[in-house]
PDB file of all heavy atoms in Angstrom:
ATOM      1  N   VAL C   1     -26.206  68.259-117.383  1.00 90.00           N
ATOM      2  CA  VAL C   1     -27.003  68.709-118.527  1.00 90.00           C
ATOM      3  C   VAL C   1     -28.402  69.116-118.068  1.00 90.00           C
ATOM      4  O   VAL C   1     -28.929  70.167-118.455  1.00 90.00           O
ATOM      5  CB  VAL C   1     -27.098  67.589-119.590  1.00 90.00           C
ATOM      6  CG1 VAL C   1     -28.058  68.000-120.710  1.00 90.00           C
ATOM      7  CG2 VAL C   1     -25.715  67.280-120.150  1.00 90.00           C
ATOM      8  N   ALA C   2     -29.005  68.284-117.207  1.00 90.00           N
ATOM      9  CA  ALA C   2     -30.381  68.532-116.770  1.00 90.00           C
ATOM     10  C   ALA C   2     -30.503  69.785-115.912  1.00 90.00           C
ATOM     11  O   ALA C   2     -31.566  70.415-115.884  1.00 90.00           O
ATOM     12  CB  ALA C   2     -30.901  67.321-115.992  1.00 90.00           C
ATOM     13  N   ARG C   3     -29.428  70.179-115.220  1.00 86.00           N
ATOM     14  CA  ARG C   3     -29.518  71.333-114.325  1.00 86.00           C
ATOM     15  C   ARG C   3     -29.777  72.624-115.076  1.00 86.00           C
ATOM     16  O   ARG C   3     -30.263  73.592-114.496  1.00 86.00           O
ATOM     17  CB  ARG C   3     -28.275  71.465-113.466  1.00 86.00           C
ATOM     18  CG  ARG C   3     -26.999  71.832-114.171  1.00 86.00           C
ATOM     19  CD  ARG C   3     -25.945  72.368-113.196  1.00 86.00           C
ATOM     20  NE  ARG C   3     -26.323  73.702-112.728  1.00 86.00           N
ATOM     21  CZ  ARG C   3     -26.713  73.979-111.503  1.00 86.00           C
ATOM     22  NH1 ARG C   3     -26.787  73.038-110.603  1.00 86.00           N
ATOM     23  NH2 ARG C   3     -27.041  75.218-111.165  1.00 86.00           N
ATOM     24  N   ASP C   4     -29.493  72.672-116.364  1.00 85.00           N
ATOM     25  CA  ASP C   4     -29.774  73.874-117.138  1.00 85.00           C
ATOM     26  C   ASP C   4     -31.273  74.166-117.185  1.00 85.00           C
ATOM     27  O   ASP C   4     -31.691  75.317-117.329  1.00 85.00           O
ATOM     28  CB  ASP C   4     -29.232  73.732-118.566  1.00 85.00           C
ATOM     29  CG  ASP C   4     -27.709  73.766-118.605  1.00 85.00           C
ATOM     30  OD1 ASP C   4     -27.109  74.281-117.640  1.00 85.00           O
ATOM     31  OD2 ASP C   4     -27.131  73.279-119.589  1.00 85.00           O
ATOM     32  N   THR C   5     -32.083  73.114-117.069  1.00 88.00           N
ATOM     33  CA  THR C   5     -33.545  73.275-117.086  1.00 88.00           C
ATOM     34  C   THR C   5     -34.110  73.464-115.689  1.00 88.00           C
ATOM     35  O   THR C   5     -34.907  74.371-115.442  1.00 88.00           O
ATOM     36  CB  THR C   5     -34.201  72.036-117.741  1.00 88.00           C
ATOM     37  OG1 THR C   5     -33.688  71.864-119.057  1.00 88.00           O
ATOM     38  CG2 THR C   5     -35.711  72.199-117.794  1.00 88.00           C
ATOM     39  N   ASP C   6     -33.676  72.604-114.764  1.00 90.00           N
ATOM     40  CA  ASP C   6     -34.189  72.671-113.387  1.00 90.00           C
ATOM     41  C   ASP C   6     -33.113  72.116-112.460  1.00 90.00           C
ATOM     42  O   ASP C   6     -33.036  70.901-112.250  1.00 90.00           O
ATOM     43  CB  ASP C   6     -35.482  71.849-113.257  1.00 90.00           C
ATOM     44  CG  ASP C   6     -36.148  72.008-111.896  1.00 90.00           C
ATOM     45  OD1 ASP C   6     -35.454  72.378-110.928  1.00 90.00           O
ATOM     46  OD2 ASP C   6     -37.366  71.755-111.797  1.00 90.00           O
ATOM     47  N   PRO C   7     -32.264  72.976-111.884  1.00 90.00           N
ATOM     48  CA  PRO C   7     -31.146  72.483-111.067  1.00 90.00           C
ATOM     49  C   PRO C   7     -31.574  71.704-109.832  1.00 90.00           C
ATOM     50  O   PRO C   7     -30.913  70.745-109.441  1.00 90.00           O
ATOM     51  CB  PRO C   7     -30.402  73.767-110.685  1.00 90.00           C
ATOM     52  CG  PRO C   7     -31.385  74.875-110.868  1.00 90.00           C
ATOM     53  CD  PRO C   7     -32.255  74.441-112.002  1.00 90.00           C
ATOM     54  N   HIS C   8     -32.682  72.091-109.201  1.00 91.00           N
ATOM     55  CA  HIS C   8     -33.143  71.380-108.011  1.00 91.00           C
ATOM     56  C   HIS C   8     -33.575  69.956-108.368  1.00 91.00           C
ATOM     57  O   HIS C   8     -33.198  68.991-107.704  1.00 91.00           O
ATOM     58  CB  HIS C   8     -34.303  72.123-107.352  1.00 91.00           C
ATOM     59  CG  HIS C   8     -33.939  73.484-106.847  1.00 91.00           C
ATOM     60  ND1 HIS C   8     -33.050  73.675-105.820  1.00 91.00           N
ATOM     61  CD2 HIS C   8     -34.335  74.717-107.247  1.00 91.00           C
ATOM     62  CE1 HIS C   8     -32.912  74.976-105.587  1.00 91.00           C
ATOM     63  NE2 HIS C   8     -33.682  75.621-106.444  1.00 91.00           N
ATOM     64  N   ARG C   9     -34.354  69.839-109.432  1.00 93.00           N
ATOM     65  CA  ARG C   9     -34.821  68.510-109.842  1.00 93.00           C
ATOM     66  C   ARG C   9     -33.653  67.657-110.339  1.00 93.00           C
ATOM     67  O   ARG C   9     -33.606  66.457-110.084  1.00 93.00           O
ATOM     68  CB  ARG C   9     -35.878  68.638-110.936  1.00 93.00           C
ATOM     69  CG  ARG C   9     -36.399  67.291-111.401  1.00 93.00           C
ATOM     70  CD  ARG C   9     -37.597  67.411-112.301  1.00 93.00           C
ATOM     71  NE  ARG C   9     -38.083  66.097-112.688  1.00 93.00           N
ATOM     72  CZ  ARG C   9     -39.183  65.880-113.405  1.00 93.00           C
ATOM     73  NH1 ARG C   9     -39.915  66.912-113.811  1.00 93.00           N
ATOM     74  NH2 ARG C   9     -39.550  64.660-113.725  1.00 93.00           N
ATOM     75  N   ALA C  10     -32.702  68.270-111.026  1.00 92.00           N
ATOM     76  CA  ALA C  10     -31.545  67.529-111.527  1.00 92.00           C
ATOM     77  C   ALA C  10     -30.772  66.898-110.384  1.00 92.00           C
ATOM     78  O   ALA C  10     -30.371  65.731-110.446  1.00 92.00           O
ATOM     79  CB  ALA C  10     -30.644  68.447-112.342  1.00 92.00           C
ATOM     80  N   MET C  11     -30.558  67.663-109.313  1.00 93.00           N
ATOM     81  CA  MET C  11     -29.821  67.130-108.175  1.00 93.00           C
ATOM     82  C   MET C  11     -30.634  66.075-107.446  1.00 93.00           C
ATOM     83  O   MET C  11     -30.110  65.032-107.027  1.00 93.00           O
ATOM     84  CB  MET C  11     -29.445  68.264-107.221  1.00 93.00           C
ATOM     85  CG  MET C  11     -28.523  67.837-106.096  1.00 93.00           C
ATOM     86  SD  MET C  11     -26.918  67.242-106.673  1.00 93.00           S
ATOM     87  CE  MET C  11     -26.156  68.803-107.171  1.00 93.00           C
ATOM     88  N   ARG C  12     -31.926  66.310-107.307  1.00 95.00           N
ATOM     89  CA  ARG C  12     -32.782  65.325-106.633  1.00 95.00           C
ATOM     90  C   ARG C  12     -32.816  64.009-107.420  1.00 95.00           C
ATOM     91  O   ARG C  12     -32.700  62.916-106.838  1.00 95.00           O
ATOM     92  CB  ARG C  12     -34.200  65.891-106.487  1.00 95.00           C
ATOM     93  CG  ARG C  12     -35.138  64.974-105.694  1.00 95.00           C
ATOM     94  CD  ARG C  12     -36.464  65.652-105.414  1.00 95.00           C
ATOM     95  NE  ARG C  12     -37.185  65.977-106.636  1.00 95.00           N
ATOM     96  CZ  ARG C  12     -37.373  67.221-107.094  1.00 95.00           C
ATOM     97  NH1 ARG C  12     -36.860  68.251-106.432  1.00 95.00           N
ATOM     98  NH2 ARG C  12     -38.055  67.442-108.207  1.00 95.00           N
ATOM     99  N   ASP C  13     -32.947  64.123-108.736  1.00 96.00           N
ATOM    100  CA  ASP C  13     -32.963  62.918-109.573  1.00 96.00           C
ATOM    101  C   ASP C  13     -31.634  62.173-109.491  1.00 96.00           C
ATOM    102  O   ASP C  13     -31.605  60.933-109.502  1.00 96.00           O
ATOM    103  CB  ASP C  13     -33.259  63.289-111.032  1.00 96.00           C
ATOM    104  CG  ASP C  13     -34.696  63.717-111.249  1.00 96.00           C
ATOM    105  OD1 ASP C  13     -35.519  63.551-110.327  1.00 96.00           O
ATOM    106  OD2 ASP C  13     -35.000  64.229-112.347  1.00 96.00           O
ATOM    107  N   ALA C  14     -30.538  62.909-109.414  1.00 95.00           N
ATOM    108  CA  ALA C  14     -29.222  62.274-109.308  1.00 95.00           C
ATOM    109  C   ALA C  14     -29.126  61.467-108.011  1.00 95.00           C
ATOM    110  O   ALA C  14     -28.639  60.328-108.009  1.00 95.00           O
ATOM    111  CB  ALA C  14     -28.123  63.331-109.363  1.00 95.00           C
ATOM    112  N   HIS C  15     -29.607  62.041-106.915  1.00 97.00           N
ATOM    113  CA  HIS C  15     -29.576  61.321-105.646  1.00 97.00           C
ATOM    114  C   HIS C  15     -30.478  60.093-105.690  1.00 97.00           C
ATOM    115  O   HIS C  15     -30.139  59.036-105.127  1.00 97.00           O
ATOM    116  CB  HIS C  15     -30.002  62.245-104.509  1.00 97.00           C
ATOM    117  CG  HIS C  15     -28.956  63.253-104.155  1.00 97.00           C
ATOM    118  ND1 HIS C  15     -29.233  64.593-103.987  1.00 97.00           N
ATOM    119  CD2 HIS C  15     -27.623  63.129-103.949  1.00 97.00           C
ATOM    120  CE1 HIS C  15     -28.122  65.236-103.675  1.00 97.00           C
ATOM    121  NE2 HIS C  15     -27.131  64.370-103.657  1.00 97.00           N
ATOM    122  N   GLU C  16     -31.608  60.197-106.352  1.00 97.00           N
ATOM    123  CA  GLU C  16     -32.511  59.047-106.470  1.00 97.00           C
ATOM    124  C   GLU C  16     -31.858  57.932-107.284  1.00 97.00           C
ATOM    125  O   GLU C  16     -31.990  56.750-106.944  1.00 97.00           O
ATOM    126  CB  GLU C  16     -33.830  59.483-107.108  1.00 97.00           C
ATOM    127  CG  GLU C  16     -34.699  60.321-106.179  1.00 97.00           C
ATOM    128  CD  GLU C  16     -35.957  60.841-106.858  1.00 97.00           C
ATOM    129  OE1 GLU C  16     -36.102  60.615-108.084  1.00 97.00           O
ATOM    130  OE2 GLU C  16     -36.788  61.459-106.163  1.00 97.00           O
ATOM    131  N   ARG C  17     -31.128  58.300-108.325  1.00 97.00           N
ATOM    132  CA  ARG C  17     -30.455  57.287-109.140  1.00 97.00           C
ATOM    133  C   ARG C  17     -29.329  56.618-108.371  1.00 97.00           C
ATOM    134  O   ARG C  17     -29.120  55.403-108.497  1.00 97.00           O
ATOM    135  CB  ARG C  17     -29.918  57.918-110.428  1.00 97.00           C
ATOM    136  CG  ARG C  17     -31.007  58.302-111.419  1.00 97.00           C
ATOM    137  CD  ARG C  17     -30.404  58.843-112.707  1.00 97.00           C
ATOM    138  NE  ARG C  17     -29.565  57.836-113.371  1.00 97.00           N
ATOM    139  CZ  ARG C  17     -28.809  58.100-114.430  1.00 97.00           C
ATOM    140  NH1 ARG C  17     -28.759  59.327-114.926  1.00 97.00           N
ATOM    141  NH2 ARG C  17     -28.085  57.130-114.990  1.00 97.00           N
ATOM    142  N   VAL C  18     -28.602  57.379-107.575  1.00 97.00           N
ATOM    143  CA  VAL C  18     -27.536  56.790-106.764  1.00 97.00           C
ATOM    144  C   VAL C  18     -28.129  55.781-105.770  1.00 97.00           C
ATOM    145  O   VAL C  18     -27.641  54.652-105.652  1.00 97.00           O
ATOM    146  CB  VAL C  18     -26.748  57.874-106.010  1.00 97.00           C
ATOM    147  CG1 VAL C  18     -25.817  57.243-104.979  1.00 97.00           C
ATOM    148  CG2 VAL C  18     -25.936  58.724-106.986  1.00 97.00           C
ATOM    149  N   ALA C  19     -29.171  56.191-105.064  1.00 97.00           N
ATOM    150  CA  ALA C  19     -29.785  55.303-104.073  1.00 97.00           C
ATOM    151  C   ALA C  19     -30.375  54.060-104.736  1.00 97.00           C
ATOM    152  O   ALA C  19     -30.254  52.948-104.210  1.00 97.00           O
ATOM    153  CB  ALA C  19     -30.871  56.058-103.302  1.00 97.00           C
ATOM    154  N   THR C  20     -30.989  54.228-105.897  1.00 97.00           N
ATOM    155  CA  THR C  20     -31.573  53.098-106.613  1.00 97.00           C
ATOM    156  C   THR C  20     -30.496  52.112-107.049  1.00 97.00           C
ATOM    157  O   THR C  20     -30.651  50.890-106.912  1.00 97.00           O
ATOM    158  CB  THR C  20     -32.362  53.587-107.837  1.00 97.00           C
ATOM    159  OG1 THR C  20     -33.449  54.415-107.396  1.00 97.00           O
ATOM    160  CG2 THR C  20     -32.928  52.421-108.638  1.00 97.00           C
ATOM    161  N   HIS C  21     -29.398  52.640-107.575  1.00 96.00           N
ATOM    162  CA  HIS C  21     -28.301  51.769-108.009  1.00 96.00           C
ATOM    163  C   HIS C  21     -27.708  51.008-106.830  1.00 96.00           C
ATOM    164  O   HIS C  21     -27.488  49.789-106.922  1.00 96.00           O
ATOM    165  CB  HIS C  21     -27.210  52.586-108.693  1.00 96.00           C
ATOM    166  CG  HIS C  21     -25.945  51.810-108.895  1.00 96.00           C
ATOM    167  ND1 HIS C  21     -25.768  50.926-109.937  1.00 96.00           N
ATOM    168  CD2 HIS C  21     -24.798  51.756-108.150  1.00 96.00           C
ATOM    169  CE1 HIS C  21     -24.574  50.364-109.835  1.00 96.00           C
ATOM    170  NE2 HIS C  21     -23.977  50.843-108.772  1.00 96.00           N
ATOM    171  N   VAL C  22     -27.423  51.696-105.752  1.00 96.00           N
ATOM    172  CA  VAL C  22     -26.817  51.039-104.587  1.00 96.00           C
ATOM    173  C   VAL C  22     -27.761  49.975-104.040  1.00 96.00           C
ATOM    174  O   VAL C  22     -27.332  48.866-103.683  1.00 96.00           O
ATOM    175  CB  VAL C  22     -26.457  52.076-103.509  1.00 96.00           C
ATOM    176  CG1 VAL C  22     -26.040  51.386-102.211  1.00 96.00           C
ATOM    177  CG2 VAL C  22     -25.340  52.987-104.002  1.00 96.00           C
ATOM    178  N   ASN C  23     -29.049  50.267-103.990  1.00 96.00           N
ATOM    179  CA  ASN C  23     -30.008  49.297-103.481  1.00 96.00           C
ATOM    180  C   ASN C  23     -30.109  48.073-104.380  1.00 96.00           C
ATOM    181  O   ASN C  23     -30.191  46.936-103.909  1.00 96.00           O
ATOM    182  CB  ASN C  23     -31.377  49.952-103.334  1.00 96.00           C
ATOM    183  CG  ASN C  23     -32.364  49.059-102.605  1.00 96.00           C
ATOM    184  OD1 ASN C  23     -32.141  48.664-101.467  1.00 96.00           O
ATOM    185  ND2 ASN C  23     -33.468  48.727-103.268  1.00 96.00           N
ATOM    186  N   ALA C  24     -30.066  48.290-105.693  1.00 94.00           N
ATOM    187  CA  ALA C  24     -30.163  47.178-106.641  1.00 94.00           C
ATOM    188  C   ALA C  24     -28.953  46.252-106.549  1.00 94.00           C
ATOM    189  O   ALA C  24     -29.039  45.066-106.867  1.00 94.00           O
ATOM    190  CB  ALA C  24     -30.307  47.709-108.067  1.00 94.00           C
ATOM    191  N   ASN C  25     -27.825  46.805-106.125  1.00 95.00           N
ATOM    192  CA  ASN C  25     -26.586  46.022-106.006  1.00 95.00           C
ATOM    193  C   ASN C  25     -26.159  45.902-104.538  1.00 95.00           C
ATOM    194  O   ASN C  25     -24.976  45.826-104.227  1.00 95.00           O
ATOM    195  CB  ASN C  25     -25.484  46.682-106.834  1.00 95.00           C
ATOM    196  CG  ASN C  25     -25.820  46.690-108.305  1.00 95.00           C
ATOM    197  OD1 ASN C  25     -25.623  45.713-109.008  1.00 95.00           O
ATOM    198  ND2 ASN C  25     -26.352  47.815-108.782  1.00 95.00           N
ATOM    199  N   ARG C  26     -27.146  45.859-103.685  1.00 95.00           N
ATOM    200  CA  ARG C  26     -26.903  45.911-102.246  1.00 95.00           C
ATOM    201  C   ARG C  26     -26.015  44.769-101.749  1.00 95.00           C
ATOM    202  O   ARG C  26     -25.149  44.973-100.903  1.00 95.00           O
ATOM    203  CB  ARG C  26     -28.253  45.873-101.524  1.00 95.00           C
ATOM    204  CG  ARG C  26     -28.213  46.264-100.066  1.00 95.00           C
ATOM    205  CD  ARG C  26     -29.593  46.149 -99.438  1.00 95.00           C
ATOM    206  NE  ARG C  26     -29.627  46.760 -98.123  1.00 95.00           N
ATOM    207  CZ  ARG C  26     -30.002  48.005 -97.879  1.00 95.00           C
ATOM    208  NH1 ARG C  26     -30.384  48.784 -98.884  1.00 95.00           N
ATOM    209  NH2 ARG C  26     -30.008  48.493 -96.653  1.00 95.00           N
ATOM    210  N   VAL C  27     -26.224  43.556-102.280  1.00 94.00           N
ATOM    211  CA  VAL C  27     -25.445  42.415-101.776  1.00 94.00           C
ATOM    212  C   VAL C  27     -23.961  42.591-102.103  1.00 94.00           C
ATOM    213  O   VAL C  27     -23.088  42.202-101.312  1.00 94.00           O
ATOM    214  CB  VAL C  27     -25.973  41.073-102.332  1.00 94.00           C
ATOM    215  CG1 VAL C  27     -27.319  40.740-101.729  1.00 94.00           C
ATOM    216  CG2 VAL C  27     -26.028  41.068-103.845  1.00 94.00           C
ATOM    217  N   LEU C  28     -23.658  43.181-103.254  1.00 95.00           N
ATOM    218  CA  LEU C  28     -22.261  43.440-103.613  1.00 95.00           C
ATOM    219  C   LEU C  28     -21.650  44.483-102.686  1.00 95.00           C
ATOM    220  O   LEU C  28     -20.573  44.274-102.108  1.00 95.00           O
ATOM    221  CB  LEU C  28     -22.162  43.920-105.059  1.00 95.00           C
ATOM    222  CG  LEU C  28     -20.807  44.488-105.496  1.00 95.00           C
ATOM    223  CD1 LEU C  28     -19.721  43.427-105.414  1.00 95.00           C
ATOM    224  CD2 LEU C  28     -20.908  45.059-106.914  1.00 95.00           C
ATOM    225  N   TYR C  29     -22.332  45.612-102.534  1.00 96.00           N
ATOM    226  CA  TYR C  29     -21.780  46.695-101.732  1.00 96.00           C
ATOM    227  C   TYR C  29     -21.736  46.339-100.243  1.00 96.00           C
ATOM    228  O   TYR C  29     -20.811  46.740 -99.531  1.00 96.00           O
ATOM    229  CB  TYR C  29     -22.568  47.979-101.975  1.00 96.00           C
ATOM    230  CG  TYR C  29     -22.453  48.460-103.396  1.00 96.00           C
ATOM    231  CD1 TYR C  29     -23.567  48.824-104.138  1.00 96.00           C
ATOM    232  CD2 TYR C  29     -21.213  48.511-104.029  1.00 96.00           C
ATOM    233  CE1 TYR C  29     -23.460  49.245-105.458  1.00 96.00           C
ATOM    234  CE2 TYR C  29     -21.094  48.933-105.355  1.00 96.00           C
ATOM    235  CZ  TYR C  29     -22.217  49.289-106.056  1.00 96.00           C
ATOM    236  OH  TYR C  29     -22.097  49.700-107.363  1.00 96.00           O
ATOM    237  N   ARG C  30     -22.711  45.554 -99.776  1.00 95.00           N
ATOM    238  CA  ARG C  30     -22.660  45.121 -98.379  1.00 95.00           C
ATOM    239  C   ARG C  30     -21.438  44.250 -98.133  1.00 95.00           C
ATOM    240  O   ARG C  30     -20.711  44.439 -97.153  1.00 95.00           O
ATOM    241  CB  ARG C  30     -23.928  44.346 -98.020  1.00 95.00           C
ATOM    242  CG  ARG C  30     -23.930  43.866 -96.569  1.00 95.00           C
ATOM    243  CD  ARG C  30     -25.070  42.921 -96.276  1.00 95.00           C
ATOM    244  NE  ARG C  30     -26.353  43.598 -96.309  1.00 95.00           N
ATOM    245  CZ  ARG C  30     -27.363  43.254 -97.104  1.00 95.00           C
ATOM    246  NH1 ARG C  30     -27.227  42.243 -97.945  1.00 95.00           N
ATOM    247  NH2 ARG C  30     -28.500  43.912 -97.049  1.00 95.00           N
ATOM    248  N   ALA C  31     -21.210  43.299 -99.033  1.00 94.00           N
ATOM    249  CA  ALA C  31     -20.037  42.426 -98.886  1.00 94.00           C
ATOM    250  C   ALA C  31     -18.748  43.240 -98.918  1.00 94.00           C
ATOM    251  O   ALA C  31     -17.820  42.999 -98.134  1.00 94.00           O
ATOM    252  CB  ALA C  31     -20.032  41.372 -99.991  1.00 94.00           C
ATOM    253  N   ALA C  32     -18.687  44.224 -99.817  1.00 95.00           N
ATOM    254  CA  ALA C  32     -17.469  45.030 -99.969  1.00 95.00           C
ATOM    255  C   ALA C  32     -17.231  45.918 -98.756  1.00 95.00           C
ATOM    256  O   ALA C  32     -16.098  46.035 -98.272  1.00 95.00           O
ATOM    257  CB  ALA C  32     -17.570  45.879-101.230  1.00 95.00           C
ATOM    258  N   PHE C  33     -18.278  46.543 -98.240  1.00 94.00           N
ATOM    259  CA  PHE C  33     -18.123  47.425 -97.080  1.00 94.00           C
ATOM    260  C   PHE C  33     -17.747  46.653 -95.817  1.00 94.00           C
ATOM    261  O   PHE C  33     -17.162  47.226 -94.891  1.00 94.00           O
ATOM    262  CB  PHE C  33     -19.399  48.218 -96.834  1.00 94.00           C
ATOM    263  CG  PHE C  33     -19.532  49.462 -97.672  1.00 94.00           C
ATOM    264  CD1 PHE C  33     -20.683  49.695 -98.410  1.00 94.00           C
ATOM    265  CD2 PHE C  33     -18.508  50.399 -97.727  1.00 94.00           C
ATOM    266  CE1 PHE C  33     -20.818  50.850 -99.183  1.00 94.00           C
ATOM    267  CE2 PHE C  33     -18.625  51.545 -98.497  1.00 94.00           C
ATOM    268  CZ  PHE C  33     -19.778  51.771 -99.228  1.00 94.00           C
ATOM    269  N   ARG C  34     -18.086  45.380 -95.752  1.00 92.00           N
ATOM    270  CA  ARG C  34     -17.798  44.593 -94.556  1.00 92.00           C
ATOM    271  C   ARG C  34     -16.402  43.974 -94.574  1.00 92.00           C
ATOM    272  O   ARG C  34     -15.993  43.357 -93.586  1.00 92.00           O
ATOM    273  CB  ARG C  34     -18.857  43.502 -94.399  1.00 92.00           C
ATOM    274  CG  ARG C  34     -20.204  44.064 -93.913  1.00 92.00           C
ATOM    275  CD  ARG C  34     -21.264  42.999 -93.818  1.00 92.00           C
ATOM    276  NE  ARG C  34     -22.481  43.522 -93.162  1.00 92.00           N
ATOM    277  CZ  ARG C  34     -23.646  42.900 -93.121  1.00 92.00           C
ATOM    278  NH1 ARG C  34     -23.768  41.704 -93.688  1.00 92.00           N
ATOM    279  NH2 ARG C  34     -24.687  43.442 -92.524  1.00 92.00           N
ATOM    280  N   LEU C  35     -15.694  44.123 -95.667  1.00 91.00           N
ATOM    281  CA  LEU C  35     -14.331  43.594 -95.742  1.00 91.00           C
ATOM    282  C   LEU C  35     -13.362  44.476 -94.962  1.00 91.00           C
ATOM    283  O   LEU C  35     -13.603  45.673 -94.791  1.00 91.00           O
ATOM    284  CB  LEU C  35     -13.877  43.545 -97.206  1.00 91.00           C
ATOM    285  CG  LEU C  35     -14.485  42.473 -98.096  1.00 91.00           C
ATOM    286  CD1 LEU C  35     -14.056  42.719 -99.542  1.00 91.00           C
ATOM    287  CD2 LEU C  35     -14.053  41.084 -97.644  1.00 91.00           C
ATOM    288  N   PRO C  36     -12.250  43.912 -94.504  1.00 88.00           N
ATOM    289  CA  PRO C  36     -11.201  44.755 -93.922  1.00 88.00           C
ATOM    290  C   PRO C  36     -10.697  45.732 -94.986  1.00 88.00           C
ATOM    291  O   PRO C  36     -10.677  45.419 -96.172  1.00 88.00           O
ATOM    292  CB  PRO C  36     -10.114  43.745 -93.543  1.00 88.00           C
ATOM    293  CG  PRO C  36     -10.813  42.428 -93.460  1.00 88.00           C
ATOM    294  CD  PRO C  36     -11.911  42.482 -94.469  1.00 88.00           C
ATOM    295  N   GLY C  37     -10.286  46.901 -94.556  1.00 86.00           N
ATOM    296  CA  GLY C  37      -9.822  47.890 -95.518  1.00 86.00           C
ATOM    297  C   GLY C  37     -10.964  48.762 -96.017  1.00 86.00           C
ATOM    298  O   GLY C  37     -12.135  48.521 -95.711  1.00 86.00           O
ATOM    299  N   ASP C  38     -10.611  49.754 -96.812  1.00 90.00           N
ATOM    300  CA  ASP C  38     -11.601  50.749 -97.249  1.00 90.00           C
ATOM    301  C   ASP C  38     -11.621  50.923 -98.763  1.00 90.00           C
ATOM    302  O   ASP C  38     -11.809  52.032 -99.257  1.00 90.00           O
ATOM    303  CB  ASP C  38     -11.295  52.103 -96.594  1.00 90.00           C
ATOM    304  CG  ASP C  38     -11.414  52.046 -95.081  1.00 90.00           C
ATOM    305  OD1 ASP C  38     -12.391  51.466 -94.592  1.00 90.00           O
ATOM    306  OD2 ASP C  38     -10.514  52.579 -94.401  1.00 90.00           O
ATOM    307  N   ALA C  39     -11.420  49.840 -99.515  1.00 91.00           N
ATOM    308  CA  ALA C  39     -11.338  49.953-100.973  1.00 91.00           C
ATOM    309  C   ALA C  39     -12.591  50.591-101.561  1.00 91.00           C
ATOM    310  O   ALA C  39     -12.511  51.526-102.367  1.00 91.00           O
ATOM    311  CB  ALA C  39     -11.088  48.588-101.605  1.00 91.00           C
ATOM    312  N   LEU C  40     -13.769  50.085-101.184  1.00 93.00           N
ATOM    313  CA  LEU C  40     -15.010  50.631-101.739  1.00 93.00           C
ATOM    314  C   LEU C  40     -15.291  52.013-101.175  1.00 93.00           C
ATOM    315  O   LEU C  40     -15.681  52.919-101.915  1.00 93.00           O
ATOM    316  CB  LEU C  40     -16.179  49.695-101.449  1.00 93.00           C
ATOM    317  CG  LEU C  40     -17.554  50.208-101.911  1.00 93.00           C
ATOM    318  CD1 LEU C  40     -17.545  50.568-103.397  1.00 93.00           C
ATOM    319  CD2 LEU C  40     -18.645  49.186-101.617  1.00 93.00           C
ATOM    320  N   LEU C  41     -15.107  52.191 -99.866  1.00 94.00           N
ATOM    321  CA  LEU C  41     -15.368  53.496 -99.253  1.00 94.00           C
ATOM    322  C   LEU C  41     -14.511  54.566 -99.923  1.00 94.00           C
ATOM    323  O   LEU C  41     -15.008  55.633-100.301  1.00 94.00           O
ATOM    324  CB  LEU C  41     -15.067  53.437 -97.760  1.00 94.00           C
ATOM    325  CG  LEU C  41     -15.537  54.644 -96.936  1.00 94.00           C
ATOM    326  CD1 LEU C  41     -17.056  54.646 -96.810  1.00 94.00           C
ATOM    327  CD2 LEU C  41     -14.908  54.609 -95.547  1.00 94.00           C
ATOM    328  N   ASP C  42     -13.224  54.273-100.101  1.00 94.00           N
ATOM    329  CA  ASP C  42     -12.320  55.240-100.712  1.00 94.00           C
ATOM    330  C   ASP C  42     -12.673  55.479-102.176  1.00 94.00           C
ATOM    331  O   ASP C  42     -12.661  56.620-102.658  1.00 94.00           O
ATOM    332  CB  ASP C  42     -10.869  54.762-100.610  1.00 94.00           C
ATOM    333  CG  ASP C  42     -10.348  54.773 -99.177  1.00 94.00           C
ATOM    334  OD1 ASP C  42     -10.985  55.423 -98.319  1.00 94.00           O
ATOM    335  OD2 ASP C  42      -9.316  54.128 -98.920  1.00 94.00           O
ATOM    336  N   GLY C  43     -12.970  54.407-102.903  1.00 93.00           N
ATOM    337  CA  GLY C  43     -13.286  54.540-104.324  1.00 93.00           C
ATOM    338  C   GLY C  43     -14.565  55.311-104.565  1.00 93.00           C
ATOM    339  O   GLY C  43     -14.635  56.171-105.449  1.00 93.00           O
TER     340      GLY C  43
END
């Protein structure tokens, strides 16, 4: 929706939100990535 106004900013903001979310839940994702198998990586 936001890209209709400013596609560059929309994509940049999306990447910032992804990084912020992953960082906020870092202990969960770290534990998941360190498990055998690729459930989180694939998902």
Side-chain angles (χ1 to χ4, degrees):
V1 174
R3 68 162 288 110
D4 290 339
T5 302
D6 187 338
H8 297 294
R9 180 170 182 175
M11 187 63 73
R12 185 172 62 250
D13 288 350
H15 286 133
E16 288 175 355
R17 289 183 61 188
V18 170
T20 297
H21 168 81
V22 171
N23 189 59
N25 297 278
R26 195 182 191 94
V27 290
L28 169 63
Y29 296 132
R30 180 189 291 122
F33 277 128
R34 286 177 172 169
L35 287 172
D38 297 315
L40 176 55
L41 191 71
D42 291 344

